[in-house]
Amino acid sequence: MAKLPACPQCNSEYTYEDGVLLVCPECAHEWSATETAESSDPAAVVRDANGNELNDGDTVTVIKDLKVKGSSSVVKVGTKVKNIRLVDGDHDIDCKVDGIGPMKLKSEFVKKA
């Protein structure tokens, strides 16, 4: 039996084949057997809600009202955020929102302007 590669997300050695995909039972990540480790790195490419690639310095627009944790403020739909910075983690955009200040956003709640 051939040795299957470890999961690219959690490095689990317990991967298994499901048709043409490899599956990790620990984190439920699925990937193609022909996929390289570089292209499966989720930190390599950050995409907005429409699937457009985001880069440092881009301007984005918020697509949903977002409550600010620990405050009664709300970032309204249509708010433009200029000069974003991409970071690793769950909230992958670091920025300053006018009228609110510095905060972190998830890329799934913005679209490239």
Side-chain angles (χ1 to χ4, degrees), residues 3-113:
K3 175 85 170 116
L4 296 174
C7 175
Q9 279 195 324
C10 70
N11 292 323
S12 171
E13 61 185 33
Y14 302 111
T15 58
Y16 63 92
E17 289 181 296
D18 185 19
V20 294
L21 294 177
L22 296 173
V23 181
C24 174
E26 292 185 11
C27 70
H29 179 67
E30 297 180 351
W31 71 100
S32 171
T34 59
E35 210 174 286
T36 63
E38 182 181 25
S39 67
S40 67
D41 185 6
V45 177
V46 176
R47 299 195 180 274
D48 69 0
N50 295 332
N52 299 319
E53 185 175 338
L54 296 174
N55 299 306
D56 285 345
D58 282 347
T59 299
V60 296
T61 305
V62 177
I63 62 168
K64 176 182 174 184
D65 281 347
L66 302 172
K67 294 179 183 176
V68 179
K69 193 171 188 175
S71 172
S72 61
S73 302
V74 175
V75 179
K76 295 286 188 177
V77 171
T79 301
K80 284 198 175 197
V81 180
K82 298 177 184 175
N83 199 18
I84 65 170
R85 193 178 79 209
L86 302 178
V87 294
D88 290 336
D90 187 31
H91 292 72
D92 43 15
I93 297 174
D94 203 8
C95 62
K96 284 188 180 177
V97 178
D98 290 338
I100 295 178
M103 66 183 320
K104 294 185 177 218
L105 298 172
K106 289 186 177 185
S107 59
E108 64 194 66
F109 299 122
V110 299
K111 67 178 182 179
K112 196 170 187 175

